[in-house]
Amino acid sequence: MKVMVSACLAGVKCRYDGGAAADPLWVERVRRGEAVPLCPELLGGLALPRPPSEIVGGGGRDVAAGRAPVLTREGLDVTKAFLTGARRVVEIALQNGITRAYLKDKSPSCGVCQIFDGSFSGRLIPGCGVTAALLTAAGIAVFPGDRKERKP
């Protein structure tokens, strides 16, 4: 059974700064065809590199419900791109029968357990990103894909 993984964990240079967060486990699983790498921010039309973004005033569920925006450090509202990318990821996952997603924690898109607090101070709060929220709402189980975040 294939799973989905945040593309940055699979070595794709798609993070906001143009880098990756490659984890050899995911790079190998993608190479073997066991995991599908997806980046919701690129699927939503955001550029590479791009300014860092954070959810302001809530978490991914709040963004989906229209109660919180996703803003860049400069104050540009990128909520629509985050929602578009998250919806596209859900669509791809459902079309491919994917029931599990391993995501990059702390991301405003893919955070599973933690996200930044929206003040661009580096403080983390419990919560999930936009894509994690929409995947969960679609019945797809989400897990932190970062090696240091995964439980043994």
Side-chain angles (χ1 to χ4, degrees), residues 66-79:
R67 294 187 302 260
V70 184
L71 303 177
T72 67
R73 180 177 285 140
E74 296 77 24
L76 178 66
D77 189 331
V78 290
T79 306

Side-chain angles (χ1 to χ4, degrees), residues 1 20 37 49 61-62 65 69 71 91 94 97-98 114 125 128 134 140:
M1 166 179 54
R61 289 177 193 87
D62 297 303
L71 303 177
E91 179 183 317
L94 292 173
I98 292 171
Q114 295 181 311
I125 59 172
C128 66
L134 268 61
I140 297 168

Side-chain angles (χ1 to χ4, degrees), residues 71-148:
L71 303 177
T72 67
R73 180 177 285 140
E74 296 77 24
L76 178 66
D77 189 331
V78 290
T79 306
K80 183 177 178 184
F82 272 73
L83 286 167
T84 297
R87 289 177 182 133
R88 183 71 183 118
V89 166
V90 170
E91 179 183 317
I92 292 167
L94 292 173
Q95 287 173 349
N96 288 280
I98 292 171
T99 59
R100 297 168 70 89
Y102 293 86
L103 307 175
K104 174 74 177 90
D105 210 14
K106 304 176 188 168
S107 158
S109 289
C110 295
V112 175
C113 301
Q114 295 181 311
I115 56 173
F116 290 98
D117 72 357
S119 68
F120 294 92
S121 66
R123 285 191 302 262
L124 291 166
I125 59 172
C128 66
V130 179
T131 300
L134 268 61
L135 285 167
T136 300
I140 297 168
V142 298
F143 305 93
D146 313 58
R147 186 173 301 268
K148 63 186 174 215

